[in-house]
Amino acid sequence: MGMLLKLAWRNMFRNKRRTFLSGLAVGMGLASMIFVFGVYDGMLKSMIRTATDSFLGEGQIHALGFRDTNEVELTIKDFQGVMQSLEMEEVIERFTPRTITIGMLTSPSDVATALVYGIDPVSEPPLSRLDEAMREGKYLQNDDLRGILVGSKAAENLEIGIGDRVVLTAARAGTGELAQELFRVRGIFHYDIKEADSGMMYIHIDKAREMLGIGPTAHEIALKFTDIELAGDRSLPFWTRCTTGGNEALGWNDIVPQLDSVVAMTDIGAFIIGILVFCIVALTIMNTLFMSLYERMYEFGVLRAIGTRPLSMAGLILFEALLLGVVSSIIGAALGLLLTGYFNIYGIDYRGIEFASVTFTELLYPTIIPRHYLTVPLLILGFAGIAALYPAWFAARLKPAETMRRSL
């Protein structure tokens, strides 16, 4: 075996240009796979981060049925007990309560319907990017019960600006009577998400509770985990502990099921791309081996004539294929690291593009995943071995006299 390996290594460099070009072709295929896998991973993380960090949160707790009906009466059961239990949870980094209702905002020039959130000005900023999204004015102060934050598109439609007065109308819990309050526009935010900029508004949670008549409770508790991977783990015991007593706790993959579908879709896409690339790799290696084999027909005929067994002939071809796979893997891993590393630093500008109901608001950074630099080259070696089976079988069946005569 040692002699065959040495002979295969020597044969690899008998035609250096062909070996380099073949290695480069296979290496580029490997590099493209590493880059595409990195882009997929970076895209998923960016989409999840965009969806959860903007305002959604990585997880939420509601009363059962609230997400389906948005009824004002469906507040979180045992609200104070749930808030206290969250402080004891090791997997939870932050949380904030919110009230949610559909309201009507009236300005001197127009009227608009919006989803009105009551937020805690102190605990909200570390969990969402609302304060960072302010385009004009300022974020709500903790003692500002008359301030309202309006989306950029809604402000444009209502023809309002900072300091203008607006009237908010909402239905009270239980009676359904309409409650009206006068607010001043403190800030105009811009998420660069059409639905949020035109249909969401924020007021102080204490004022919202007073308007809705729901007391010291909330419709939603938004959660931030110590690790976002935990928020997407449906088997986490936290979900069972919090889904009790008439409440339900959900992670981002249940709150925005489109993201879960995207994860499955990218897995299928990566599998298909992988199969295509590996087919190209296999054909490249097979073509290289046959070209090399036909160039050395006389040499193979002599080897068979002096008693080299068919199994050794096949082994020689297999070793050449595996060595070509090793050279290609080194080239491909280096190219993949350079390509992915460059865009990992400078990013790809997908901002403004909407996919699966999520609008990219930040640059897309492909992820450098160390395990891909081991698993993908190993798969390349495996496919190189498979691709070499036919040329090896062909070499093993060569007849000495016929082979030498054909090469003359």
Side-chain angles (χ1 to χ4, degrees), residues 37-58:
F37 290 161
V39 169
Y40 276 163
D41 192 72
M43 183 182 73
L44 286 175
K45 287 181 177 175
S46 176
M47 289 180 70
I48 292 169
R49 198 166 46 246
T50 299
T52 58
D53 286 1
S54 297
F55 186 72
L56 194 69
E58 296 170 4

Side-chain angles (χ1 to χ4, degrees), residues 340-379:
T340 311
Y342 176 83
F343 286 105
N344 178 264
I345 295 171
Y346 296 103
I348 303 171
D349 194 354
Y350 269 69
R351 287 176 292 186
I353 295 177
E354 185 176 333
F355 182 60
S357 302
V358 176
T359 303
F360 288 94
T361 57
E362 58 184 38
L363 294 177
L364 194 162
Y365 295 96
T367 310
I368 297 176
I369 307 171
R371 70 173 187 279
H372 285 170
Y373 294 85
L374 176 65
T375 56
V376 178
L378 285 176
L379 287 171

